[in-house]
Amino acid sequence: MSQLDEELRLLRDEARRFTENEVLPEANERDPEGKRISDALVRKLGDMGFFGIVGPEEYGGLGMGTLAYAVVTEELSRGWMSVASIIARGQDIPGATAEQKAEYVPDMVSGDRLMCVSLSEPEAGSDVANLSTRAEHVGDEYEISGQKTWATFAKGADFIVLWAKTDPDISPPHRGISSFIIDKSPGEFDVDGLSGEKLDTIGYHGMNSYELNLDNVRVHEDKLVGGEEGEGFYHIMKDFEQARVHTAARAIGLARGALEDSLSYAKQRKQFGQSIGDFQAIRFKLAKMATNIEAARQLTHDVAKQVDQDQRCDRQACMAKLFASEMAEEVTSEGIQIHGGNGYTTDYPLERYWRDARLTKIFEGTSEIQQRVIADGLFERGVFGDEQ
């Protein structure tokens, strides 16, 4: 097991109890019906401090770092990945000014004011520099027009952090990307020129995703995050390291749910006069599942420590996200196999873990993008990251 200090073990155990008592019962009730996370559970997450795990201490956050974030995320995801995801809607705003942080972050870390992050577009998912949404500076405001997709939690959020091009003609194109804060009411698209349409997804039911349309949405210039000289792109790239650790931890939690449920099922299910857990084929499946989960956890925790030490770890973060997400799909699928026909019903949580695990191979950069970054790093910096 990954070596955690006493503080992190206590945090893990607290998150584990919370998941068992609060998250799992709600997940088992609401996810099969396609219902989002309840407001009551969101308030409880805030009371636990989970929206401020990596939030700056000067604004009321816990400032515990990325490793603590990964530990809590794994526990919550073991119950319901949507819950492990919503805590990322607090924490902090990458690249925000001191004034912006003072206005937003204290309420974010308490869970009273949550954000949606809107980056992807129909023609710009992995290709971030190819954004077409335009923000034009007019007087003391920006007018934003374009289309966004996969804006998760957009309707429920109190504000949207949205990336757009302020200079579409600049070269290289990533230098023209900036981000903006768009204030709105939770549960509404009540900003002039802003509308949203829910996307129907096969999983991730607790966190609805939306396609957004912006037609001259006006925001004051003090809602520009950073500047117009490409800072927005670098905020994205830097934030990806922690975001990919977060995704890896979510994948590990899903896989662990499949392992724990499958182990319990193997002990109880009788066939041919004995527990199926007595058969070598089942025992070997469980052994491999456990080994792969632990390997993913060790890698993810190591990368989390590098992020906390402010080391460059873009390639390693991609490795953790790639390995954990691919592992999670395999392990949850094996969990269904162990459950046999019962695993293919909605009577057991396995199908939820399986559906959600499939998504971890897509968001925060697809598995193919992770492999590209890893390969580029090998050719540019060598096997050990040294300059060649």
Side-chain angles (χ1 to χ4, degrees), residues 78 257-271 274-279 282-283 285-286 289 334-345 347-350:
R78 187 265 175 267
L259 173 63
E260 291 177 355
D261 287 5
S262 297
L263 178 61
S264 177
Y265 186 83
K267 292 177 179 178
Q268 298 170 11
R269 175 67 169 170
K270 304 287 186 181
Q271 288 290 283
Q274 63 189 101
S275 300
I276 64 170
D278 292 336
F279 294 106
I282 300 299
R283 297 174 77 89
K285 283 181 184 293
L286 292 167
M289 291 161 69
E334 284 284 59
I336 289 176
Q337 193 71 19
I338 290 172
H339 280 68
N342 287 331
Y344 201 65
T345 71
D347 295 334
Y348 292 80
L350 259 297

Side-chain angles (χ1 to χ4, degrees), residues 33-335:
E33 299 178 1
K35 293 181 178 179
R36 65 176 181 80
I37 302 166
S38 71
D39 293 338
L41 183 54
V42 172
R43 287 193 295 270
K44 290 175 183 178
L45 288 165
D47 293 341
M48 294 293 291
F50 293 151
F51 286 111
I53 295 293
V54 294
E57 291 184 84
E58 58 266 39
Y59 300 109
L62 298 177
M64 294 187 71
T66 306
L67 179 56
Y69 193 35
V71 168
V72 169
T73 295
E74 178 187 330
E75 297 303 326
L76 295 178
S77 191
R78 187 265 175 267
W80 200 7
M81 189 176 75
S82 296
V83 174
S85 298
I86 201 171
I87 65 169
R89 304 315 186 230
Q91 312 304 338
D92 200 0
I93 304 175
T97 64
E99 292 77 14
Q100 290 167 340
K101 287 180 182 288
E103 180 180 355
Y104 289 91
V105 176
D107 288 337
M108 292 174 65
V109 298
S110 68
D112 293 328
R113 201 175 188 182
L114 301 179
M115 68 176 170
C116 160
V117 174
S118 182
L119 175 62
S120 295
E121 296 181 0
E123 300 301 326
S126 300
D127 185 6
V128 174
N130 194 38
L131 296 181
S132 61
T133 299
R134 180 80 167 90
E136 185 177 356
H137 205 170
V138 180
D140 62 354
E141 294 182 317
Y142 284 88
E143 293 183 354
I144 307 174
S145 295
Q147 187 178 48
K148 292 290 185 179
T149 192
W150 300 116
T152 302
F153 196 59
K155 191 171 185 178
D158 297 89
F159 64 98
I160 299 171
V161 178
L162 181 140
W163 275 262
K165 283 282 186 74
T166 49
D167 187 348
D169 301 319
I170 197 170
S171 181
H174 70 265
R175 292 187 58 203
I177 296 175
S178 301
S179 57
F180 300 85
I181 297 171
I182 302 175
D183 292 308
K184 57 178 288 294
S185 299
E188 305 288 344
F189 290 115
D190 56 356
V191 176
D192 288 344
L194 174 67
S195 62
E197 183 175 348
K198 181 178 174 293
L199 298 170
D200 292 325
T201 58
I202 62 175
Y204 210 25
H205 291 159
M207 292 275 284
N208 295 332
S209 295
Y210 292 83
E211 183 174 89
L212 302 179
N213 289 286
L214 301 98
D215 183 11
N216 289 327
V217 172
R218 290 174 166 268
V219 298
H220 194 270
E221 60 188 3
D222 64 8
K223 300 299 182 180
L224 171 68
V225 180
E228 287 193 6
E229 300 302 321
E231 286 91 342
F233 179 82
Y234 295 110
H235 298 158
I236 299 167
M237 293 298 106
K238 180 61 178 175
D239 190 56
F240 265 147
E241 292 178 358
Q242 187 177 85
R244 284 167 175 161
V245 168
H246 180 231
T247 297
R250 285 183 282 181
I252 293 165
L254 292 168
R256 207 185 88 214
L259 173 63
E260 291 177 355
D261 287 5
S262 297
L263 178 61
S264 177
Y265 186 83
K267 292 177 179 178
Q268 298 170 11
R269 175 67 169 170
K270 304 287 186 181
Q271 288 290 283
F272 304 102
Q274 63 189 101
S275 300
I276 64 170
D278 292 336
F279 294 106
Q280 187 180 70
I282 300 299
R283 297 174 77 89
F284 281 10
K285 283 181 184 293
L286 292 167
K288 185 177 180 182
M289 291 161 69
T291 301
N292 286 338
I293 290 169
E294 186 58 32
R297 183 184 293 116
Q298 293 287 347
L299 176 57
T300 299
H301 285 192
D302 183 67
V303 176
K305 292 173 185 176
Q306 293 180 54
V307 175
D308 288 340
Q309 294 166 4
D310 202 27
Q311 298 178 15
R312 180 179 179 181
C313 55
D314 52 341
R315 181 174 58 173
Q316 292 86 347
C318 287
M319 289 177 176
K321 195 268 187 186
L322 172 67
F323 184 79
S325 60
E326 296 281 335
M327 175 277 298
E329 187 185 29
E330 178 182 345
V331 166
T332 54
S333 180
E334 284 284 59

